Amino acid sequence: MARIALINQKGGVGKTTTTFNLGAALARRGFRVLLVDLDPQAHLTYHAGIAAHELELTLLDVLTGEATLSEVVCLRNEQLHLVPSNLGLSRAQKVLTEPGSEFLLREALEGHDGYDFVLMDCPPQLGILSINALVAARHVLVPVYPEFLSLAGLSQLLQTVEIVTRRLNPRLELMGVLITNFDQRKNLHHEAAGSLRERFPEWVFQTVIRTNVALAEAPSYGQSIFEYAPTSLGAQDYEALAGELLLRLQSREVRHDPKPLGTPSGRQSP
Ligand code: ADP
Ligand code: MG
């Protein structure tokens, strides 16, 4: 099972768009995918077509021990499941104060080994919820918007990842930095992308998610880009990202573990 935290303390950089559409791309390939919405704004939950404000049970109930993961999970389809959130999750910072609260999500995921991928969509702060994701994860994927101010926050984020690795989760690894919302007509975007690749040559994904209005429209229909606009640039880019991610994971598994990444556990989607 690959557990990936999608994190960046900046808002509007494509974390939620990437979590949902990368999850959908992997599910289409036949993998069983669990999405976890760690943001009280619940954009991921709404993107999945679920009325977050009407939910009685959310991730918060799982973290406080009032519900099990299975009681809270919503099934988008056979391959794609979601642990939803809503505004109530904003209480997390206040209520998750017991020693070891950083480990609650990891504990909740224990025993749910039927998933090939767990993708965790973090809120735009490095608080207790993001730390829970980093502790539960094995890999970190950082979406970035290609502008210099966005790049400035990256060092702080990588420092936090390093601290979590040192103190709480020694197996945590950076999986890659993903350039999102890339507008090919803007020189500024080419320059920022170039300087990112210079600074993190190994880490920046070859795949770039281009600016594509269909990606911004799909959430209002509760659809993935593959349902809403299957031939769009957005669909092509997220499909390419899923392919590159699988290759990266395979090369890492070979390095760390003699067993190669398994084949999908579920049936191939039509
Ligand atoms: P985050 O989760 O990091 O706050 P989102 O994924 O919600 O960021 O994206 C912020 C906004 O930008 C949303 O309105 C989303 O629909 C839009 N968006 C994200 N990626 C793209 C893209 N590649 N092209 C066009 N709009 C995008
Ligand atoms: Mg978001």
Side-chain angles (χ1 to χ4, degrees), residues 10-17 37 39 41-44 121-124:
K10 259 187 84 69
V13 297
K15 293 182 289 293
T16 301
T17 307
D37 191 350
D39 190 346
Q41 295 178 90
H43 290 168
L44 181 67
D121 183 25
C122 292

Side-chain angles (χ1 to χ4, degrees), residues 6 15-24 34-50 52 76 80-85 119-122 219 222-223:
L6 289 95
K15 293 182 289 293
T16 301
T17 307
T18 301
T19 306
F20 194 64
N21 291 305
L22 175 61
L34 178 67
L35 308 177
V36 183
D37 191 350
L38 286 125
D39 190 346
Q41 295 178 90
H43 290 168
L44 181 67
T45 303
Y46 285 111
H47 198 152
I50 294 161
R76 183 88 194 346
L80 189 61
H81 298 181
L82 168 86
V83 181
S85 140
L119 304 184
M120 294 168 260
D121 183 25
C122 292
Q223 291 182 337

Side-chain angles (χ1 to χ4, degrees), residues 35 60-61 68 70 128 133 140 148 169 200 206 243 267:
L35 308 177
L60 184 67
D61 302 285
T68 64
S70 320
I128 186 71
V140 180
F148 287 96
N169 183 9
F200 304 102
Q206 213 57 48
R267 283 186 287 112

Side-chain angles (χ1 to χ4, degrees), residues 10-228:
K10 259 187 84 69
V13 297
K15 293 182 289 293
T16 301
T17 307
T18 301
T19 306
F20 194 64
N21 291 305
L22 175 61
L26 292 166
R28 272 159 46 91
R29 288 175 180 237
F31 291 102
R32 283 176 51 95
V33 180
L34 178 67
L35 308 177
V36 183
D37 191 350
L38 286 125
D39 190 346
Q41 295 178 90
H43 290 168
L44 181 67
T45 303
Y46 285 111
H47 198 152
I50 294 161
H53 52 281
E54 291 171 6
L55 289 171
E56 287 184 6
L57 291 177
T58 69
L59 175 65
L60 184 67
D61 302 285
V62 177
L63 299 178
T64 55
E66 276 151 54
T68 64
L69 196 85
S70 320
E71 286 171 317
V72 171
V73 161
C74 304
L75 308 188
R76 183 88 194 346
N77 58 43
E78 202 185 323
Q79 307 294 125
L80 189 61
H81 298 181
L82 168 86
V83 181
S85 140
N86 66 21
L87 210 53
L89 193 61
S90 54
R91 288 172 41 233
Q93 196 75 36
K94 274 207 175 135
V95 297
L96 304 180
T97 52
E98 279 183 9
S101 289
E102 299 93 343
F103 293 88
L104 290 168
L105 179 60
R106 182 199 274 186
E107 282 172 17
L109 288 170
E110 262 165 31
H112 294 271
D113 301 330
Y115 294 107
D116 300 302
F117 287 90
V118 179
L119 304 184
M120 294 168 260
D121 183 25
C122 292
Q125 303 91 27
L126 299 174
I128 186 71
L129 291 164
S130 291
I131 302 297
N132 260 273
L134 291 176
V135 170
R138 173 83 163 81
H139 300 283
V140 180
L141 194 164
V142 184
V144 291
Y145 186 57
E147 282 190 351
F148 287 96
L149 283 180
S150 305
L151 308 190
L154 214 60
S155 317
Q156 192 202 344
L157 174 60
L158 295 178
Q159 251 174 23
T160 305
V161 171
E162 203 237 292
I163 292 172
V164 172
T165 310
R166 199 154 23 88
R167 299 201 179 135
L168 299 167
N169 183 9
R171 278 165 58 87
L172 189 65
E173 272 188 45
L174 183 64
M175 140 135 293
V177 173
L178 174 69
I179 298 170
T180 62
N181 217 335
F182 181 82
D183 186 340
Q184 300 183 81
R185 294 162 307 177
K186 289 190 180 160
N187 279 338
L188 190 66
H189 282 196
H190 286 279
E191 284 168 23
S195 90
L196 251 180
R197 290 195 191 279
E198 237 169 64
R199 228 173 102 197
F200 304 102
E202 288 175 61
W203 298 119
V204 181
F205 278 95
Q206 213 57 48
T207 307
V208 167
I209 309 297
R210 290 166 286 185
T211 300
N212 179 218
V213 69
L215 284 168
E217 291 165 353
S220 0
Y221 298 88
Q223 291 182 337
S224 75
I225 193 65
F226 304 103
E227 295 158 320
Y228 179 71

